[in-house]
Amino acid sequence: MSSSAPLAGHVALVTGASRGIGRAIALELGAAGAQVVVNYASSSEAAEAVVAAITASGGQAWSHRANVADEGEVDAMVKAVLEKAGRLDVLVNNAGITRDGLLMRMKTADWQSVIDLNLTGVFLCTRAVSRAMLKARSGRIINITSVVALMGNPGQANYSAAKAGVIGLTRSNAAEFAARGVTVNAVAPGFIESDMTAELDKEPILAAIPMGRMGSAAEVAGAVRFLAADPAAAYITGQVLQVDGGMVMR
Ligand code: NAP
């Protein structure tokens, strides 16, 4: 493996990679030499554009549509990746949604859809890849949580509960998988420029960020690339790496 392609020969599955942070992660892992599976739910053109960008830079990638909250679709996706590539080294659980609203008026459907995708989706994808990774005695699972899991956020009871659940899941899975060479870590972005944050009132957000600016998707992708790298991050597991411009220091 050359240092410019530290993930050469590795296969990475990135969920929700058609847009935003997932797109940046897919491009970053592709540039690091990994074959990238670009998962998406409905944006097929955007997913194909990510595949095209990776292949245009000399990398390898293909797309796979699957709803990560659907057990059958997740299992079929992982089976297809293993059949096509013969291995799966890195799973990035990135797909996520928001359905914000104050708790008193929050619809049960909005609670449930966020839990189903942002938390159960991470469980389903992790379970689906676990057999192959544990058998190979090697693997990297990187879960995208959020700083709101650590600090709470008015109007995001569903989202912050799901993201806090992802941290508990990360640590339990890290403890279960450690002896078999599979690491499980979380990355907790602060406020990052993306479709998800496009409509937010930026003034109070910027006032709470010591660096005084929102982060970029590429800055989150850099942290994911580090956690996927071997041997740089080989001895790191069960951790939450905050990428938040100093917003939450604890
Ligand atoms: P985004 O721009 O809204 O993109 C969401 C991605 O998730 C899209 O690729 C979308 O695919 C995919 N997706 C949605 N539902 C899916 C499903 N059921 N199955 C598979 N994929 C699905 O979001 P983002 O801002 O990049 O956020 C990415 C992750 O970072 C999320 O987990 C989010 O919670 C977390 N995060 C974001 C921020 C932020 O400030 N932006 C901060 C902290 C944490 P389609 O294009 O096909 O819909």
Side-chain angles (χ1 to χ4, degrees):
M1 268 189 272
S2 84
S3 58
S4 61
L7 297 179
H10 289 198
V11 177
L13 169 59
V14 184
T15 70
S18 49
R19 295 184 280 119
I21 293 171
R23 176 182 187 278
I25 293 169
L27 296 175
E28 185 80 29
L29 297 183
Q35 281 179 57
V36 184
V37 186
V38 176
N39 160 257
Y40 67 99
S42 56
S43 307
S44 58
E45 275 182 31
E48 289 314 323
V50 176
V51 169
I54 293 171
T55 49
S57 326
Q60 278 180 282
W62 69 93
S63 67
H64 190 108
R65 197 212 67 79
N67 172 7
V68 299
D70 183 303
E71 181 173 2
E73 292 187 19
V74 167
D75 289 348
M77 172 170 67
V78 171
K79 189 166 178 268
V81 173
L82 290 169
E83 277 172 8
K84 182 164 177 165
R87 59 189 292 163
L88 182 44
D89 304 279
V90 180
L91 167 67
V92 184
N93 283 305
N94 165 80
I97 53 167
T98 51
R99 295 287 181 272
D100 295 352
L102 293 175
L103 184 91
M104 214 168 65
R105 291 195 287 271
M106 185 174 283
K107 294 190 175 67
T108 308
D110 287 338
W111 167 268
Q112 199 60 52
S113 58
V114 170
I115 297 292
D116 286 350
L117 177 54
N118 295 11
L119 178 57
T120 307
V122 177
F123 158 71
L124 291 173
C125 292
T126 302
R127 189 182 60 181
V129 306
S130 62
R131 185 180 297 271
M133 285 189 181
L134 294 174
K135 195 169 167 219
R137 294 191 160 267
S138 142
R140 299 291 167 89
I141 298 171
I142 300 153
N143 299 325
I144 308 302
T145 176
S146 166
V147 290
V148 304
L150 306 170
M151 64 185 211
N153 201 19
Q156 289 199 307
N158 49 1
Y159 183 80
S160 51
K163 293 297 190 184
V166 167
I167 293 177
L169 185 60
T170 298
R171 292 184 172 141
S172 292
N173 293 343
E176 278 189 34
F177 298 168
R180 303 284 286 275
V182 177
T183 68
V184 190
N185 290 290
V187 171
F191 284 92
I192 307 298
E193 303 275 7
S194 79
D195 291 349
M196 191 177 272
T197 54
E199 305 296 319
L200 298 180
D201 176 9
K202 300 288 178 336
E203 219 179 284
I205 292 172
L206 295 182
I209 303 173
M211 283 191 180
R213 66 171 177 87
M214 303 218 354
S216 70
E219 288 168 323
V220 179
V224 172
R225 176 180 172 143
F226 164 66
L227 289 170
D230 201 21
Y235 199 53
I236 300 173
T237 197
Q239 303 304 307
V240 181
L241 178 53
Q242 291 166 224
V243 182
D244 64 359
M247 190 174 171
V248 179
M249 298 193 200
R250 57 179 63 158

